Amino acid sequence: IMHVIPISCLTDNYAYIINDDVSKKVGVVDPSEASPIISYLKKQNLKLDYILNTHHHYDHIGGNIELKKLYNAKVIGFVGDKHRIPGIDITLEDNVKWIFGKSSVKILHIPGHTLGHICFFFENEKIAFTGDTLFSLGCGRIFEGDHQQMLTSLNKMKKLPKNTKIYCGHEYSYKNAEFCMKYDNDNIDLKKKFEKIKQLRSNNLPTLPTTLEEELKSNIFLRCNQNDLKVKLNMKNQEDYKVFRKVRDLKDSF
């Protein structure tokens, strides 16, 4: 069994410790800082084998070097970012399979937020680490890529199995829900999801993982191809790309 443990870092980041019961392999995804990771590993008496980075931003790689030194862990990242990911040992390309313990991990290149952003998709477990590309009820800001790249990347994510668990890089769900509600307020699935998020956050619990199925129904950024949303935005018959661009611009100024 694969255990995924969210570790709160910085103000609203999550790193994820992945612990495979069978192979006893332990990894961490996007450690922005080392100390909370070390303290969890110590408590559980675990050693770290791998550091997986979705992209090069500091709040996803800040703990790399310290963790690598302490545990002699291997750093994994996208081949195109090898000059930007500190301590990188294993470089992976789009669509390749990488093996973590007994698990097959498919690498999906999903540029937009950054040019070298990837998703780690654990195929048998149906678990995806989406970094800052797909959030619960949101998508990442476009820093290095363009809107077309981000839309293409999100469409790639939409093709994963519906029951995929989505683990993203930040606790943004509440604010994202408020934005979705502003423009998609009669969406029954969204309303239900917002209630669940309110409940979790009022108890200071993570809103993650979400599932792809929930996101397809409630995440406005995944609904830019849906006619009902186009009508709500006064963009009936407009191309999906134009709708996406409009929604992303609205969110940037929200």
Side-chain angles (χ1 to χ4, degrees):
I1 294 178
M2 177 82 73
H3 302 281
V4 181
I5 301 97
I7 307 283
S8 292
C9 297
L10 305 177
T11 48
D12 55 23
N13 275 73
Y14 287 123
Y16 296 102
I17 289 177
I18 42 181
N19 181 2
D20 177 16
D21 271 355
V22 183
S23 70
K24 302 290 183 226
K25 290 287 178 210
V26 178
V28 64
V29 180
D30 287 348
S32 44
E33 47 179 346
S35 53
I37 312 301
I38 296 166
S39 98
Y40 179 86
L41 293 171
K42 273 189 179 151
K43 261 189 219 133
Q44 302 294 323
N45 199 16
L46 296 169
K47 184 192 164 307
L48 187 66
D49 300 293
Y50 295 110
I51 298 163
L52 291 73
N53 295 134
T54 60
H55 64 298
H56 76 281
H57 281 161
Y58 183 75
D59 61 335
H60 293 257
I61 51 95
N64 276 20
I65 296 299
E66 198 180 330
L67 291 169
K68 181 175 171 158
K69 271 191 191 143
L70 187 58
Y71 295 103
N72 198 23
K74 294 263 186 273
V75 177
I76 321 281
F78 182 59
V79 63
D81 266 353
K82 60 176 185 281
H83 60 297
R84 308 203 283 185
I85 289 178
I88 194 161
D89 298 292
I90 298 170
T91 56
L92 299 170
E93 293 179 29
D94 185 28
N95 270 323
V96 300
K97 305 281 172 81
W98 175 69
I99 301 297
F100 174 85
K102 299 266 181 223
S103 303
S104 171
V105 184
K106 188 173 189 190
I107 305 305
L108 303 170
H109 181 217
I110 46 172
H113 179 68
T114 66
L115 290 177
H117 201 303
I118 55 174
C119 163
F120 295 94
F121 177 55
F122 285 69
E123 294 182 302
N124 299 336
E125 295 79 5
K126 307 280 187 286
I127 289 171
F129 295 99
T130 60
D132 288 0
T133 297
L134 175 60
F135 291 120
S136 177
L137 301 182
C139 82
R141 279 181 181 266
I142 293 160
F143 286 125
E144 295 176 2
D146 56 37
H147 290 77
Q148 189 58 62
Q149 278 179 323
M150 182 58 101
L151 181 58
T152 303
S153 294
L154 292 174
N155 285 339
K156 211 184 224 193
M157 307 265 77
K158 283 165 85 166
K159 292 194 178 86
L160 292 174
K162 297 270 191 296
N163 60 345
T164 298
K165 290 190 178 83
I166 306 284
Y167 290 92
C168 56
H170 294 266
E171 184 53 77
Y172 288 164
S173 307
Y174 195 100
K175 190 95 176 116
N176 286 345
E178 289 182 322
F179 173 74
C180 288
M181 286 295 291
K182 183 173 177 180
Y183 295 100
D184 198 11
N185 59 7
D186 54 1
N187 181 330
I188 307 293
D189 295 298
L190 171 61
K191 284 179 184 168
K192 275 190 207 147
K193 190 159 172 68
F194 196 14
E195 287 313 310
K196 200 163 87 178
I197 288 167
K198 284 178 187 166
Q199 187 71 52
L200 289 165
R201 290 316 288 157
S202 68
N203 295 310
N204 210 19
L205 292 168
T207 58
L208 303 161
T210 177
T211 66
L212 182 59
E213 184 162 25
E214 282 179 33
E215 294 307 311
L216 289 168
K217 291 174 180 167
S218 336
N219 185 337
I220 196 167
F221 291 99
L222 300 186
R223 288 187 12 82
C224 293
N225 59 336
Q226 308 271 317
N227 290 326
D228 69 311
L229 183 69
K230 290 182 180 185
V231 169
K232 285 178 207 175
L233 295 169
N234 295 322
M235 295 187 81
K236 196 181 173 189
N237 301 326
Q238 295 266 10
E239 296 164 51
D240 301 353
Y241 164 73
K242 286 184 178 156
V243 179
F244 174 72
R245 200 183 171 108
K246 161 101 174 180
V247 173
R248 187 60 259 177
D249 290 348
L250 289 168
K251 179 73 167 77
D252 287 341
S253 55
F254 180 65

